[in-house]
Amino acid sequence: MNVTLSMTVDQHEVLRHHLFPGDGLEAAALLLCGGSSHESRYRLSVRDVIRLDHDKCKRLDDRVSWPTDLIIPHLDHAEELGLSVVKVHCHPGNFPQFSEVDDVGDRELLPVVRSWVGADIPHGSIVMQPCGRLFGRYLWQGDGMRSMDMISVAGPDIRLFPASAHNRNYPFARSQDQAFGDGTTATLARLRAGIVGISGTGSPLLEQLIRLGFGEIVIIDPDTVEDRNLNRILNSSVADARAGRLKVDVAEAAAIVTELPTRIIKVASTLMSPAAIHALSVCDVIFGCVDTHTGRFAMNLVSTYHIIPYFDIGVMLDAAGDGDATGRIRDILGTIHYIVPGRSSLMSRDVISLRTVAQEGLADADPEAEAQQVRDKYFRGLSVSRPAVISINMFAAALAVNDLLARIHPYRQMPNSDVGSIEFSLGQLRLTADEEQEDCALLKPWLGHGRISPLLGLPELSEPRA
Protein backbone atom coordinates (compact mmCIF):
# COMPACT_ATOMS: atom_id res chain seq x y z
CA MET A 1 0.00 0.00 0.00
CA ASN A 2 1.24 3.49 -0.92
CA VAL A 3 0.34 5.85 1.94
CA THR A 4 0.87 9.59 1.59
CA LEU A 5 -0.02 12.62 3.70
CA SER A 6 -0.81 16.12 2.46
CA MET A 7 -1.08 19.43 4.26
CA THR A 8 -1.28 23.07 3.25
CA VAL A 9 1.56 25.54 3.57
CA ASP A 10 -0.47 27.39 6.20
CA GLN A 11 -0.83 24.22 8.30
CA HIS A 12 2.89 23.58 7.86
CA GLU A 13 3.69 27.06 9.14
CA VAL A 14 1.45 26.59 12.19
CA LEU A 15 3.32 23.38 12.98
CA ARG A 16 6.77 24.88 12.43
CA HIS A 17 6.14 27.87 14.71
CA HIS A 18 4.72 25.64 17.44
CA LEU A 19 7.37 22.93 17.26
CA PHE A 20 10.33 25.31 17.16
CA PRO A 21 9.67 28.06 19.72
CA GLY A 22 13.41 28.79 19.97
CA ASP A 23 14.28 27.03 23.21
CA GLY A 24 15.98 23.97 21.68
CA LEU A 25 13.51 21.51 23.24
CA GLU A 26 11.21 19.03 21.55
CA ALA A 27 7.53 19.91 21.21
CA ALA A 28 4.51 18.00 19.93
CA ALA A 29 1.21 18.32 18.08
CA LEU A 30 -1.52 16.09 16.72
CA LEU A 31 -2.96 16.04 13.21
CA LEU A 32 -6.53 14.88 12.67
CA CYS A 33 -6.79 13.71 9.08
CA GLY A 34 -9.41 12.76 6.57
CA GLY A 35 -8.56 9.99 4.16
CA SER A 36 -9.31 8.46 0.80
CA SER A 37 -8.25 5.30 -0.99
CA HIS A 38 -8.12 4.07 -4.56
CA GLU A 39 -6.57 0.80 -5.69
CA SER A 40 -3.25 0.52 -3.78
CA ARG A 41 -3.08 4.18 -2.65
CA TYR A 42 -4.26 5.84 0.55
CA ARG A 43 -4.06 9.62 0.97
CA LEU A 44 -4.24 11.29 4.37
CA SER A 45 -5.24 14.96 4.30
CA VAL A 46 -4.78 17.20 7.33
CA ARG A 47 -8.06 18.53 8.65
CA ASP A 48 -7.06 19.95 12.04
CA VAL A 49 -3.73 20.85 13.66
CA ILE A 50 -3.86 20.35 17.44
CA ARG A 51 -0.97 22.09 19.24
CA LEU A 52 -0.14 20.38 22.52
CA ASP A 53 0.48 23.03 25.19
CA HIS A 54 4.21 23.43 25.86
CA ASP A 55 3.59 23.98 29.57
CA LYS A 56 1.61 20.75 29.92
CA CYS A 57 4.22 18.62 28.17
CA LYS A 58 7.47 17.32 29.56
CA ARG A 59 9.98 18.68 27.07
CA LEU A 60 13.67 17.77 26.80
CA ASP A 61 16.15 18.20 23.98
CA ASP A 62 15.72 14.58 22.85
CA ARG A 63 12.17 13.62 23.83
CA VAL A 64 8.70 14.95 24.62
CA SER A 65 5.80 13.45 26.56
CA TRP A 66 2.42 14.57 27.84
CA PRO A 67 -0.33 13.48 30.24
CA THR A 68 -2.90 11.15 28.71
CA ASP A 69 -5.85 13.43 29.48
CA LEU A 70 -4.34 16.09 27.22
CA ILE A 71 -5.17 14.11 24.07
CA ILE A 72 -8.29 12.16 25.11
CA PRO A 73 -10.78 14.81 23.81
CA HIS A 74 -9.05 14.71 20.43
CA LEU A 75 -9.10 10.91 20.30
CA ASP A 76 -12.82 11.04 21.08
CA HIS A 77 -13.30 13.52 18.24
CA ALA A 78 -11.34 11.27 15.87
CA GLU A 79 -13.46 8.28 16.92
CA GLU A 80 -16.69 10.19 16.34
CA LEU A 81 -15.74 11.29 12.81
CA GLY A 82 -13.56 8.34 11.77
CA LEU A 83 -10.40 10.42 11.44
CA SER A 84 -6.79 9.29 11.37
CA VAL A 85 -4.56 10.59 14.16
CA VAL A 86 -0.95 11.51 13.42
CA LYS A 87 1.51 12.55 16.12
CA VAL A 88 4.04 15.20 15.12
CA HIS A 89 7.13 16.19 17.05
CA CYS A 90 10.36 17.97 16.24
CA HIS A 91 14.06 17.11 16.28
CA PRO A 92 15.73 20.40 17.28
CA GLY A 93 19.14 18.80 16.78
CA ASN A 94 18.22 17.94 13.18
CA PHE A 95 18.47 14.16 13.69
CA PRO A 96 17.31 12.86 10.26
CA GLN A 97 15.47 9.69 11.34
CA PHE A 98 13.32 8.26 14.11
CA SER A 99 15.30 7.81 17.32
CA GLU A 100 15.17 4.84 19.69
CA VAL A 101 13.12 7.01 22.05
CA ASP A 102 10.69 7.70 19.18
CA ASP A 103 10.43 3.96 18.49
CA VAL A 104 9.44 3.21 22.07
CA GLY A 105 6.90 6.06 22.18
CA ASP A 106 5.26 5.15 18.87
CA ARG A 107 4.98 1.45 19.81
CA GLU A 108 3.09 2.54 22.91
CA LEU A 109 0.91 5.30 21.42
CA LEU A 110 -0.16 4.17 17.95
CA PRO A 111 -1.78 0.83 18.95
CA VAL A 112 -3.76 2.71 21.61
CA VAL A 113 -4.90 5.25 19.02
CA ARG A 114 -5.91 2.48 16.62
CA SER A 115 -7.97 0.71 19.28
CA TRP A 116 -9.55 3.97 20.43
CA VAL A 117 -10.65 5.18 16.99
CA GLY A 118 -11.75 1.73 15.89
CA ALA A 119 -12.03 2.37 12.14
CA ASP A 120 -9.86 0.45 9.68
CA ILE A 121 -7.64 3.41 8.78
CA PRO A 122 -3.95 4.25 9.19
CA HIS A 123 -2.55 6.33 12.07
CA GLY A 124 0.91 7.76 12.09
CA SER A 125 3.90 9.58 13.49
CA ILE A 126 5.83 12.41 11.82
CA VAL A 127 9.06 14.25 12.62
CA MET A 128 9.78 17.82 11.52
CA GLN A 129 13.35 19.03 11.15
CA PRO A 130 14.37 22.69 11.63
CA CYS A 131 14.39 23.27 7.85
CA GLY A 132 10.72 22.19 7.70
CA ARG A 133 11.45 18.80 6.18
CA LEU A 134 9.03 16.06 7.27
CA PHE A 135 9.33 12.30 7.39
CA GLY A 136 6.84 9.84 8.80
CA ARG A 137 5.54 6.34 9.31
CA TYR A 138 2.19 4.73 9.91
CA LEU A 139 0.51 1.81 11.64
CA TRP A 140 -2.39 0.15 9.86
CA GLN A 141 -3.01 -3.51 9.22
CA GLY A 142 -0.73 -5.68 11.34
CA ASP A 143 1.64 -4.63 14.09
CA GLY A 144 4.52 -3.26 12.04
CA MET A 145 5.08 0.41 11.23
CA ARG A 146 5.88 1.39 7.65
CA SER A 147 7.30 4.55 6.13
CA MET A 148 4.92 7.07 4.58
CA ASP A 149 5.77 7.12 0.90
CA MET A 150 5.38 10.86 0.54
CA ILE A 151 4.52 13.90 2.64
CA SER A 152 3.53 16.92 0.57
CA VAL A 153 2.95 20.57 1.39
CA ALA A 154 0.63 22.45 -0.96
CA GLY A 155 1.35 26.16 -1.25
CA PRO A 156 2.67 28.61 -3.84
CA ASP A 157 5.69 26.28 -3.75
CA ILE A 158 4.88 22.57 -3.81
CA ARG A 159 7.16 20.84 -1.32
CA LEU A 160 7.51 17.07 -1.62
CA PHE A 161 9.22 14.90 0.96
CA PRO A 162 9.54 11.32 -0.37
CA ALA A 163 10.59 8.48 1.89
CA SER A 164 13.39 7.48 -0.47
CA ALA A 165 14.77 8.21 -3.92
CA HIS A 166 12.95 6.60 -6.83
CA ASN A 167 14.95 3.91 -8.59
CA ARG A 168 13.45 4.11 -12.08
CA ASN A 169 16.06 4.74 -14.74
CA TYR A 170 14.94 7.32 -17.29
CA PRO A 171 17.38 7.90 -20.18
CA PHE A 172 16.38 11.57 -20.31
CA ALA A 173 16.73 12.21 -16.56
CA ARG A 174 20.12 13.88 -16.69
CA SER A 175 19.22 16.50 -19.28
CA GLN A 176 15.82 17.14 -17.71
CA ASP A 177 17.28 17.56 -14.22
CA GLN A 178 19.88 19.92 -15.61
CA ALA A 179 17.06 22.14 -16.86
CA PHE A 180 14.72 22.10 -13.87
CA GLY A 181 16.74 20.96 -10.86
CA ASP A 182 18.50 17.94 -9.44
CA GLY A 183 16.11 15.11 -8.71
CA THR A 184 13.19 16.49 -10.74
CA THR A 185 12.70 13.29 -12.75
CA ALA A 186 12.98 11.04 -9.70
CA THR A 187 10.41 13.19 -7.90
CA LEU A 188 7.95 13.15 -10.80
CA ALA A 189 8.29 9.37 -11.07
CA ARG A 190 6.74 9.08 -7.60
CA LEU A 191 3.72 11.25 -8.40
CA ARG A 192 0.20 10.53 -9.59
CA ALA A 193 -1.33 13.30 -11.71
CA GLY A 194 -4.98 13.60 -12.63
CA ILE A 195 -6.29 15.10 -15.88
CA VAL A 196 -10.00 15.72 -16.34
CA GLY A 197 -10.85 16.19 -20.02
CA ILE A 198 -8.49 14.48 -22.44
CA SER A 199 -9.29 16.39 -25.62
CA GLY A 200 -8.17 19.90 -26.63
CA THR A 201 -5.86 20.90 -23.77
CA GLY A 202 -5.89 17.58 -21.94
CA SER A 203 -4.35 15.59 -24.80
CA PRO A 204 -1.16 17.69 -25.16
CA LEU A 205 -1.00 18.00 -21.38
CA LEU A 206 -0.98 14.21 -21.02
CA GLU A 207 1.76 13.88 -23.62
CA GLN A 208 3.99 16.27 -21.70
CA LEU A 209 3.45 14.56 -18.35
CA ILE A 210 4.35 11.18 -19.87
CA ARG A 211 7.52 12.61 -21.40
CA LEU A 212 8.44 14.24 -18.08
CA GLY A 213 8.27 10.83 -16.41
CA PHE A 214 5.22 10.95 -14.12
CA GLY A 215 4.70 7.64 -12.34
CA GLU A 216 0.92 7.43 -12.77
CA ILE A 217 -1.63 9.56 -14.60
CA VAL A 218 -5.38 9.35 -14.14
CA ILE A 219 -7.28 10.38 -17.27
CA ILE A 220 -11.02 11.05 -17.08
CA ASP A 221 -13.26 11.56 -20.10
CA PRO A 222 -16.52 9.88 -21.13
CA ASP A 223 -16.44 10.77 -24.82
CA THR A 224 -15.45 9.02 -28.03
CA VAL A 225 -13.22 10.35 -30.78
CA GLU A 226 -15.12 12.14 -33.55
CA ASP A 227 -14.03 13.63 -36.87
CA ARG A 228 -14.23 17.12 -35.40
CA ASN A 229 -11.70 16.13 -32.68
CA LEU A 230 -8.93 15.04 -35.04
CA ASN A 231 -7.39 18.50 -35.29
CA ARG A 232 -6.55 18.59 -31.58
CA ILE A 233 -6.26 15.10 -30.02
CA LEU A 234 -2.71 13.84 -30.28
CA ASN A 235 -2.26 10.30 -31.61
CA SER A 236 -5.89 10.08 -32.79
CA SER A 237 -6.76 8.94 -36.30
CA VAL A 238 -9.59 8.84 -38.80
CA ALA A 239 -9.91 5.13 -38.00
CA ASP A 240 -10.42 5.96 -34.32
CA ALA A 241 -13.21 8.36 -35.24
CA ARG A 242 -14.88 5.86 -37.54
CA ALA A 243 -14.74 3.19 -34.84
CA GLY A 244 -15.98 5.60 -32.18
CA ARG A 245 -13.12 4.67 -29.85
CA LEU A 246 -13.10 6.17 -26.37
CA LYS A 247 -10.67 9.04 -25.98
CA VAL A 248 -9.19 7.42 -22.87
CA ASP A 249 -8.54 4.19 -24.81
CA VAL A 250 -6.75 6.07 -27.59
CA ALA A 251 -4.66 7.95 -25.04
CA GLU A 252 -3.74 4.79 -23.13
CA ALA A 253 -2.74 2.97 -26.31
CA ALA A 254 -0.47 5.85 -27.32
CA ALA A 255 1.18 5.84 -23.89
CA ILE A 256 1.83 2.10 -24.10
CA VAL A 257 3.50 2.49 -27.49
CA THR A 258 6.11 4.84 -25.99
CA GLU A 259 7.33 2.01 -23.72
CA LEU A 260 7.92 4.61 -21.03
CA PRO A 261 7.03 3.42 -17.52
CA THR A 262 4.17 5.86 -16.84
CA ARG A 263 1.05 3.95 -15.79
CA ILE A 264 -2.25 5.21 -17.20
CA ILE A 265 -5.39 4.85 -15.08
CA LYS A 266 -8.38 5.52 -17.31
CA VAL A 267 -11.88 6.41 -16.20
CA ALA A 268 -14.37 6.50 -19.06
CA SER A 269 -16.98 8.57 -17.27
CA THR A 270 -17.84 12.14 -16.47
CA LEU A 271 -16.15 13.86 -13.57
CA MET A 272 -19.48 13.77 -11.70
CA SER A 273 -19.22 10.06 -10.92
CA PRO A 274 -17.91 8.18 -7.87
CA ALA A 275 -15.35 6.33 -10.02
CA ALA A 276 -13.80 9.59 -11.20
CA ILE A 277 -13.77 11.23 -7.77
CA HIS A 278 -12.20 8.16 -6.12
CA ALA A 279 -9.40 8.05 -8.72
CA LEU A 280 -8.70 11.78 -8.40
CA SER A 281 -8.81 11.85 -4.61
CA VAL A 282 -5.41 10.18 -4.16
CA CYS A 283 -3.59 12.20 -6.84
CA ASP A 284 -0.66 14.46 -5.96
CA VAL A 285 -1.66 17.14 -8.46
CA ILE A 286 -4.72 17.63 -10.68
CA PHE A 287 -5.35 19.47 -13.93
CA GLY A 288 -8.77 20.69 -15.06
CA CYS A 289 -9.36 20.81 -18.81
CA VAL A 290 -13.14 21.19 -18.59
CA ASP A 291 -15.59 23.65 -20.09
CA THR A 292 -18.35 23.82 -17.52
CA HIS A 293 -18.75 25.68 -14.25
CA THR A 294 -19.97 22.42 -12.71
CA GLY A 295 -16.78 20.58 -13.67
CA ARG A 296 -14.56 23.35 -12.36
CA PHE A 297 -16.56 23.54 -9.14
CA ALA A 298 -16.14 19.79 -8.61
CA MET A 299 -12.40 20.03 -9.31
CA ASN A 300 -12.11 22.80 -6.74
CA LEU A 301 -13.95 20.60 -4.23
CA VAL A 302 -11.60 17.65 -4.86
CA SER A 303 -8.64 19.97 -4.35
CA THR A 304 -10.08 21.24 -1.05
CA TYR A 305 -11.30 17.98 0.48
CA HIS A 306 -8.07 16.11 -0.31
CA ILE A 307 -5.52 18.98 -0.25
CA ILE A 308 -4.35 18.55 -3.84
CA PRO A 309 -2.75 21.40 -5.85
CA TYR A 310 -5.04 22.22 -8.77
CA PHE A 311 -4.22 23.79 -12.15
CA ASP A 312 -7.22 25.04 -14.14
CA ILE A 313 -6.70 25.73 -17.84
CA GLY A 314 -8.99 28.07 -19.72
CA VAL A 315 -8.80 29.31 -23.33
CA MET A 316 -11.01 31.78 -25.16
CA LEU A 317 -11.19 33.22 -28.68
CA ASP A 318 -12.39 36.80 -28.90
CA ALA A 319 -14.12 37.14 -32.26
CA ALA A 320 -16.09 39.89 -33.91
CA GLY A 321 -19.81 39.29 -33.59
CA ASP A 322 -21.36 41.24 -36.45
CA GLY A 323 -20.74 43.16 -39.66
CA ASP A 324 -18.34 42.21 -42.41
CA ALA A 325 -15.81 41.01 -39.81
CA THR A 326 -18.15 38.40 -38.27
CA GLY A 327 -16.10 35.51 -36.91
CA ARG A 328 -12.75 37.22 -37.37
CA ILE A 329 -10.44 36.68 -34.38
CA ARG A 330 -9.62 39.84 -32.46
CA ASP A 331 -7.55 38.14 -29.77
CA ILE A 332 -6.60 34.73 -28.39
CA LEU A 333 -6.76 34.66 -24.60
CA GLY A 334 -6.15 32.13 -21.87
CA THR A 335 -5.56 31.78 -18.14
CA ILE A 336 -3.82 29.18 -16.02
CA HIS A 337 -5.25 29.36 -12.50
CA TYR A 338 -3.24 27.71 -9.75
CA ILE A 339 -5.37 26.86 -6.72
CA VAL A 340 -3.77 26.39 -3.30
CA PRO A 341 -6.22 24.34 -1.19
CA GLY A 342 -7.66 26.37 1.66
CA ARG A 343 -6.94 29.71 0.04
CA SER A 344 -8.73 31.33 -2.89
CA SER A 345 -10.96 29.36 -5.26
CA LEU A 346 -12.29 29.77 -8.77
CA MET A 347 -15.39 31.22 -7.13
CA SER A 348 -13.61 33.83 -5.02
CA ARG A 349 -11.65 34.72 -8.18
CA ASP A 350 -14.95 35.20 -10.06
CA VAL A 351 -14.02 32.59 -12.64
CA ILE A 352 -17.13 30.49 -11.96
CA SER A 353 -20.37 31.10 -10.11
CA LEU A 354 -22.72 28.82 -8.21
CA ARG A 355 -25.54 30.43 -10.14
CA THR A 356 -24.19 28.98 -13.37
CA VAL A 357 -23.48 25.65 -11.67
CA ALA A 358 -27.18 25.56 -10.77
CA GLN A 359 -28.11 26.49 -14.32
CA GLU A 360 -26.01 23.68 -15.78
CA GLY A 361 -27.59 21.20 -13.38
CA LEU A 362 -31.03 22.35 -14.40
CA ALA A 363 -30.09 22.01 -18.07
CA ASP A 364 -29.14 18.37 -17.50
CA ALA A 365 -32.16 17.52 -15.34
CA ASP A 366 -34.89 19.50 -17.09
CA PRO A 367 -33.89 21.18 -20.39
CA GLU A 368 -37.33 22.72 -20.90
CA ALA A 369 -37.29 24.32 -17.45
CA GLU A 370 -33.76 25.62 -18.05
CA ALA A 371 -34.80 27.15 -21.37
CA GLN A 372 -37.69 28.88 -19.64
CA GLN A 373 -35.34 30.23 -16.97
CA VAL A 374 -33.11 31.71 -19.68
CA ARG A 375 -36.13 33.31 -21.36
CA ASP A 376 -37.22 34.69 -18.00
CA LYS A 377 -33.68 36.05 -17.44
CA TYR A 378 -33.14 34.19 -14.20
CA PHE A 379 -29.86 32.92 -15.64
CA ARG A 380 -27.25 34.26 -17.99
CA GLY A 381 -26.49 32.28 -21.16
CA LEU A 382 -24.17 29.31 -20.82
CA SER A 383 -20.53 29.76 -21.82
CA VAL A 384 -19.47 28.36 -25.19
CA SER A 385 -17.10 25.44 -25.60
CA ARG A 386 -13.35 25.80 -25.81
CA PRO A 387 -11.81 26.78 -29.16
CA ALA A 388 -10.77 23.78 -31.22
CA VAL A 389 -7.31 24.94 -32.33
CA ILE A 390 -4.39 22.69 -31.45
CA SER A 391 -1.71 25.42 -31.50
CA ILE A 392 -3.61 27.44 -28.88
CA ASN A 393 -4.43 24.45 -26.70
CA MET A 394 -0.87 23.16 -26.78
CA PHE A 395 0.42 26.59 -25.77
CA ALA A 396 -1.94 26.71 -22.78
CA ALA A 397 -1.12 23.13 -21.76
CA ALA A 398 2.63 23.82 -21.88
CA LEU A 399 2.15 26.94 -19.78
CA ALA A 400 0.37 24.89 -17.09
CA VAL A 401 3.04 22.18 -17.05
CA ASN A 402 5.86 24.72 -16.77
CA ASP A 403 3.98 26.43 -13.93
CA LEU A 404 3.91 23.09 -12.11
CA LEU A 405 7.65 22.59 -12.66
CA ALA A 406 8.35 26.10 -11.35
CA ARG A 407 6.49 25.28 -8.14
CA ILE A 408 8.35 22.02 -7.55
CA HIS A 409 11.79 23.46 -8.39
CA PRO A 410 11.48 27.29 -8.50
CA TYR A 411 13.24 28.71 -11.53
CA ARG A 412 11.35 31.96 -12.16
CA GLN A 413 12.79 35.35 -11.28
CA MET A 414 9.70 36.21 -9.23
CA PRO A 415 8.59 34.20 -6.18
CA ASN A 416 5.78 31.72 -6.71
CA SER A 417 3.78 33.55 -4.04
CA ASP A 418 3.35 36.37 -6.59
CA VAL A 419 1.87 34.02 -9.20
CA GLY A 420 -1.69 32.99 -8.44
CA SER A 421 -2.59 32.83 -12.11
CA ILE A 422 -1.00 33.43 -15.50
CA GLU A 423 -2.91 35.20 -18.25
CA PHE A 424 -1.83 35.29 -21.87
CA SER A 425 -2.90 37.21 -24.94
CA LEU A 426 -1.47 35.96 -28.21
CA GLY A 427 -3.02 38.90 -30.02
CA GLN A 428 -1.13 41.37 -27.84
CA LEU A 429 1.86 39.07 -27.21
CA ARG A 430 1.34 39.51 -23.48
CA LEU A 431 2.03 37.20 -20.54
CA THR A 432 0.85 38.49 -17.14
CA ALA A 433 1.06 37.04 -13.63
CA ASP A 434 -1.68 37.92 -11.13
CA GLU A 435 -1.32 37.56 -7.37
CA GLU A 436 -3.36 35.32 -5.10
CA GLN A 437 -6.86 36.56 -4.26
CA GLU A 438 -8.72 36.45 -0.94
CA ASP A 439 -9.49 33.12 0.73
CA CYS A 440 -12.70 31.35 -0.23
CA ALA A 441 -15.06 31.44 2.76
CA LEU A 442 -17.33 28.84 1.13
CA LEU A 443 -14.76 26.08 0.65
CA LYS A 444 -12.23 26.64 3.44
CA PRO A 445 -14.32 24.90 6.16
CA TRP A 446 -14.10 21.65 4.16
CA LEU A 447 -10.30 21.60 3.97
CA GLY A 448 -8.82 18.14 4.47
CA HIS A 449 -12.10 16.35 5.16
CA GLY A 450 -11.17 13.53 2.78
CA ARG A 451 -13.83 11.08 1.66
CA ILE A 452 -17.23 11.78 3.16
CA SER A 453 -20.73 10.62 2.27
CA PRO A 454 -22.02 11.77 -0.11
CA LEU A 455 -18.75 12.39 -1.95
CA LEU A 456 -17.69 16.04 -1.81
CA GLY A 457 -20.94 16.73 0.04
CA LEU A 458 -22.85 16.58 -3.27
CA PRO A 459 -26.10 14.52 -3.32
CA GLU A 460 -25.60 13.68 -6.99
CA LEU A 461 -22.43 11.77 -5.99
CA SER A 462 -24.23 9.54 -3.49
CA GLU A 463 -23.09 5.95 -3.75
CA PRO A 464 -25.49 3.00 -3.56
CA ARG A 465 -25.47 1.18 -0.25
CA ALA A 466 -23.93 -2.26 -0.26
Side-chain angles (χ1 to χ4, degrees):
M1 179 66 74
N2 178 298
V3 175
T4 64
L5 181 141
S6 60
M7 67 178 68
T8 70
V9 65
D10 300 309
Q11 292 168 333
H12 184 270
E13 279 299 291
V14 168
L15 276 176
R16 191 175 66 83
H17 282 102
H18 174 71
L19 296 178
F20 295 98
D23 56 11
L25 304 178
E26 289 196 5
L30 295 180
L31 305 178
L32 301 185
C33 303
S36 185
S37 63
H38 181 258
E39 296 183 349
S40 61
R41 279 183 168 242
Y42 195 100
R43 186 177 182 87
L44 294 164
S45 50
V46 176
R47 176 171 173 168
D48 295 306
V49 177
I50 311 298
R51 291 166 283 187
L52 299 185
D53 193 326
H54 292 155
D55 295 333
K56 295 181 180 180
C57 295
K58 183 179 179 181
R59 303 173 58 228
L60 301 174
D61 60 0
D62 64 346
R63 67 195 67 196
V64 60
S65 59
W66 53 84
T68 303
D69 60 2
L70 190 61
I71 66 171
I72 285 178
H74 308 298
L75 297 182
D76 287 341
H77 187 55
E79 178 190 16
E80 179 185 2
L81 298 179
L83 303 177
S84 293
V85 179
V86 178
K87 180 194 83 173
V88 189
H89 75 287
C90 63
H91 280 177
N94 207 31
F95 191 59
Q97 60 193 46
F98 287 99
S99 68
E100 292 182 2
V101 173
D102 298 336
D103 293 341
V104 172
D106 287 350
R107 281 196 294 266
E108 292 177 353
L109 176 65
L110 294 184
V112 171
V113 171
R114 177 169 63 181
S115 297
W116 197 295
V117 175
D120 182 20
I121 54 179
H123 304 282
S125 175
I126 289 176
V127 173
M128 178 181 279
Q129 295 177 269
C131 64
R133 177 179 175 267
L134 300 161
F135 56 90
R137 58 191 178 189
Y138 67 93
L139 178 70
W140 193 356
Q141 296 150 342
D143 297 325
M145 288 180 286
R146 299 185 178 184
S147 295
M148 291 184 182
D149 292 86
M150 177 84 73
I151 300 175
S152 59
V153 180
D157 297 328
I158 299 174
R159 301 185 67 182
L160 302 167
F161 303 109
S164 60
H166 206 282
N167 57 10
R168 280 184 181 173
N169 182 24
Y170 288 88
F172 52 76
R174 184 175 180 181
S175 60
Q176 185 163 285
D177 288 1
Q178 186 176 1
F180 289 105
D182 187 41
T184 297
T185 307
T187 297
L188 298 180
R190 303 185 68 92
L191 302 184
R192 172 188 278 203
I195 304 174
V196 180
I198 205 67
S199 192
T201 51
S203 173
L205 180 66
L206 172 63
E207 183 75 13
Q208 292 175 72
L209 298 188
I210 292 172
R211 303 292 173 175
L212 285 169
F214 267 74
E216 296 180 338
I217 305 175
V218 174
I219 55 175
I220 298 172
D221 198 307
D223 296 330
T224 57
V225 176
E226 302 176 43
D227 289 335
R228 64 187 182 88
N229 303 142
L230 296 177
N231 72 325
R232 60 191 184 276
I233 299 181
L234 301 184
N235 304 302
S236 64
S237 67
V238 171
D240 294 328
R242 287 174 179 167
R245 291 184 68 195
L246 287 167
K247 293 177 182 178
V248 293
D249 287 345
V250 172
E252 180 191 42
I256 291 172
V257 167
T258 69
E259 297 187 43
L260 293 170
T262 299
R263 176 176 175 243
I264 301 297
I265 300 155
K266 58 184 182 181
V267 182
S269 74
T270 68
L271 172 59
M272 301 302 290
S273 69
I277 300 302
H278 290 324
L280 281 183
S281 69
V282 296
C283 288
D284 300 294
V285 59
I286 54 178
F287 296 86
C289 305
V290 295
D291 295 322
T292 65
H293 284 228
T294 302
R296 285 171 155 162
F297 177 58
M299 292 288 288
N300 226 146
L301 287 175
V302 171
S303 170
T304 301
Y305 274 79
H306 303 286
I307 309 186
I308 306 174
Y310 165 35
F311 294 84
D312 178 85
I313 307 171
V315 177
M316 182 181 73
L317 293 180
D318 180 16
D322 51 30
D324 295 337
T326 298
R328 182 179 301 168
I329 294 175
R330 295 183 298 203
D331 203 351
I332 298 172
L333 306 166
T335 306
I336 311 302
H337 281 279
Y338 174 62
I339 302 299
V340 176
R343 292 192 174 181
S344 67
S345 70
L346 294 179
M347 287 167 293
S348 63
R349 298 184 187 191
D350 293 326
V351 177
I352 64 174
S353 72
L354 293 182
R355 183 181 184 183
T356 307
V357 171
Q359 179 188 359
E360 290 172 347
L362 185 60
D364 291 338
D366 191 343
E368 291 185 8
E370 187 271 340
Q372 184 61 48
Q373 293 277 33
V374 172
R375 287 193 294 272
D376 294 342
K377 299 183 180 179
Y378 286 114
F379 294 119
R380 295 174 295 173
L382 290 177
S383 59
V384 297
S385 298
R386 294 175 184 272
V389 182
I390 191 170
S391 58
I392 301 170
N393 293 328
M394 291 188 78
F395 182 88
L399 199 57
V401 172
N402 283 307
D403 191 26
L404 166 66
L405 292 171
R407 296 181 188 280
I408 293 176
H409 287 293
Y411 64 82
R412 291 189 285 232
Q413 295 183 10
M414 65 173 63
N416 286 324
S417 56
D418 289 346
V419 188
S421 63
I422 303 171
E423 297 180 357
F424 68 84
S425 164
L426 297 184
Q428 302 173 41
L429 292 180
R430 172 177 54 82
L431 199 65
T432 306
D434 288 334
E435 295 182 351
E436 180 72 80
Q437 305 297 314
E438 68 276 3
D439 292 354
C440 179
L442 177 66
L443 294 189
K444 193 167 186 177
W446 301 103
L447 183 69
H449 279 224
R451 183 180 297 181
I452 66 170
S453 183
L455 294 174
L456 307 180
L458 300 177
E460 54 266 47
L461 288 173
S462 297
E463 297 181 275
R465 294 184 180 181

